[in-house]
Amino acid sequence: AANRPLGEGYVRMVRDLIAARYPATQVTCINTGIGSETIRDIAARLEPDVIAHEPDWVSIGSGVNDAWCHIIQRPGKAVSPEEYRTIYSGVITTVQKRTKANVVLIEPFFISHEQATSPSDRGKMMAMLPTYQKIVAQLARKYKARFVPLHRMFAEQLKHQRADKIGRAHV
């Protein structure tokens, strides 16, 4: 793929913003994110894909797939809010104990004009996602991690443009 190894999402954007703002600074960004994964998957590969790199910064974006799998009825893949909180706490604790990294938690986001009251799958997602978003915000406070309210940022953009114009719309 043309955009490997950083992908097309926020990792590439952050790298590009850092390069533009601090052109003399050499920054190495490593994107070990894998689409369609849940917090369970992230926890399972934390050692080789994160800890082994001895990072200075770690950003974690999880929650959308954990919730989405409930909606599309994939019970073996879906992660309940309680399990999500427990596993996510373990991931953060491990990163903080095993590295010197600053931790950044990305609010789970879903780019859609659907309302939570809509009976569609997207509407169901908009109704379910706030539970996961609240957990991430709480974990950021608890572990003194930086929190990026990305869903709210996209929601603001949706007031002015269509979802497919913002970026690759989810689902």
Side-chain angles (χ1 to χ4, degrees):
N3 290 320
R4 287 282 176 216
L6 296 181
E8 301 172 9
Y10 79 88
V11 176
R12 175 174 290 284
M13 288 184 241
V14 167
R15 193 277 320 262
D16 291 348
L17 287 169
I18 291 169
R21 178 71 172 97
Y22 306 100
T25 303
Q26 294 297 315
V27 175
T28 301
C29 288
I30 301 169
N31 183 2
T32 60
I34 298 174
S36 78
E37 284 199 333
T38 66
I39 195 67
R40 269 192 225 115
D41 301 310
I42 292 168
R45 59 188 185 77
L46 194 59
E47 179 63 41
D49 286 359
V50 179
I51 307 299
H53 291 286
E54 300 178 12
D56 296 314
W57 291 85
V58 172
S59 67
I60 305 168
S62 173
V64 172
N65 297 318
D66 305 79
W68 185 247
C69 289
H70 288 284
I71 293 163
I72 62 170
Q73 299 179 1
R74 291 187 61 202
K77 185 86 170 161
V79 179
S80 71
E82 297 79 19
E83 182 184 7
Y84 179 75
R85 178 188 305 277
T86 300
I87 295 172
Y88 210 141
S89 291
V91 167
I92 297 166
T93 299
T94 300
V95 169
Q96 289 180 334
K97 285 183 178 177
R98 304 271 317 278
T99 74
K100 296 177 183 170
N102 294 291
V103 177
V104 179
L105 304 185
I106 309 297
E107 178 181 48
F109 65 93
F110 194 75
I111 302 170
S112 177
H113 285 286
E114 293 284 338
Q115 299 299 313
T117 54
S118 170
S120 72
D121 285 350
R122 288 175 185 243
K124 291 174 187 172
M125 182 63 170
M126 296 301 281
M128 181 174 275
L129 197 58
T131 300
Y132 292 82
Q133 292 166 333
K134 182 178 179 182
I135 291 168
V136 175
Q138 290 168 344
L139 292 174
R141 286 190 298 277
K142 178 178 179 179
Y143 292 100
K144 296 177 176 49
R146 287 175 170 80
F147 176 73
V148 180
L150 201 52
H151 183 81
R152 287 175 221 144
M153 292 176 183
F154 281 127
E156 186 61 32
Q157 289 298 311
L158 286 170
K159 293 177 184 176
H160 308 286
Q161 51 193 314
R162 293 186 351 230
D164 61 344
K165 295 297 180 189
I166 292 175
R168 205 178 69 193
H170 281 74
V171 189

